[in-house]
Amino acid sequence: MLKRKYGDRAEWQRVIERKYSQSYLDTREFKGFITLLKATRVTEPLFVNYREKKLCIVDNGYLWLQQFPLKKNHSVTTMFDANGEIIQWYIDICHKNSIEENVPYMDDLFLDLILLPSGEVIEKDADELEEAYLNGIIDKSLYDLAWNELNSIKRYMQR
C-alpha cells in the first residue's frame, strides 16, 4: 500500500497552529494544484541530516509551498524558513497526484530527490523503494516508473 500524503498535512501533529491555502492552476506551464502551509506554531522544530549537513525544515513561521502537477509522477515542496529563505526543494516521486475531498494528495513511491540552494542534489530513500519492491508493496512497473521519473528530473536539472 502506498502512503498517501495530503497537501494540508492535517495529520501532522507537530504543527499545532497552521494557516493553509490551495489553488488550482490550468496554464500552459502548469496544470495542477498548489498548496501553501504555514506552520505558525510547532511542538518542536524538525531537523533532517544530509551527510554532514543538518537542516531545520519545520519551525515556527516556516512555509511549505507544494506543487501537485496532474499527469506527472512527482510533487515538489519548496521549504522556506521564517525569513522567507529557501531551505530546500524536496521532490517526492509518486504514482500520481490527485484530489480527494477537495484536498490535493500524492501517492508516494518512496524515492526522493532533494535540491539544496547550494546546487547540491541528493537522492534519498532508494533503499525504501527497493524494499517496497522486494516485499511486494509495489510491482515492477511502479518500481521502473519511480526510477524513470527520478532520472528524467535529473536530466532536466542538468540542462
Side-chain angles (χ1 to χ4, degrees):
M1 181 82 171
L2 297 179
K3 184 176 182 182
R4 185 161 284 180
K5 295 181 180 176
Y6 293 89
D8 63 0
R9 305 282 175 146
E11 77 292 344
W12 205 5
Q13 295 179 7
R14 177 185 305 267
V15 180
I16 52 178
E17 192 176 311
R18 69 183 65 218
K19 291 183 180 176
Y20 173 79
S21 61
Q22 69 181 47
S23 188
Y24 174 76
L25 294 178
D26 187 355
T27 67
R28 191 169 48 104
E29 297 82 13
F30 183 87
K31 181 176 183 169
F33 296 91
I34 306 288
T35 67
L36 182 63
L37 174 68
K38 180 176 185 178
T40 307
R41 199 161 56 98
V42 300
T43 57
E44 62 182 327
L46 176 60
F47 290 89
V48 293
N49 293 306
Y50 303 130
R51 300 180 190 116
E52 69 283 346
K53 291 179 176 64
K54 183 176 181 177
L55 296 177
C56 180
I57 61 168
V58 174
D59 202 351
N60 296 333
Y62 278 42
L63 296 167
W64 282 23
L65 179 67
Q66 296 180 266
Q67 302 169 45
F68 297 86
L70 298 177
K71 299 184 182 176
K72 299 285 183 178
N73 297 105
H74 66 271
S75 177
V76 179
T77 305
T78 308
M79 298 174 188
F80 299 88
D81 67 18
N83 296 319
E85 299 293 322
I86 293 175
I87 301 163
Q88 68 179 3
W89 292 270
Y90 196 100
I91 303 167
D92 285 282
I93 306 301
C94 61
H95 177 236
K96 69 176 181 175
N97 293 308
S98 192
I99 191 162
E100 182 176 88
E101 295 183 19
N102 201 35
V103 179
Y105 71 83
M106 69 173 143
D107 286 334
D108 191 14
L109 276 177
F110 310 98
L111 195 57
D112 304 306
L113 195 60
I114 296 141
L115 175 61
L116 301 178
S118 66
E120 184 178 358
V121 177
I122 301 163
E123 282 184 30
K124 190 169 177 284
D125 298 333
D127 56 335
E128 289 183 21
L129 177 67
E130 204 64 38
E131 188 177 311
Y133 175 57
L134 293 174
N135 291 329
I137 295 168
I138 60 170
D139 62 17
K140 179 80 163 102
S141 66
L142 288 177
Y143 177 86
D144 291 342
L145 176 92
W147 280 114
N148 290 337
E149 186 72 8
L150 180 107
N151 290 326
S152 174
I153 293 167
K154 284 174 64 178
R155 281 191 302 277
Y156 180 80
M157 292 167 68
Q158 293 171 347
R159 294 198 288 170

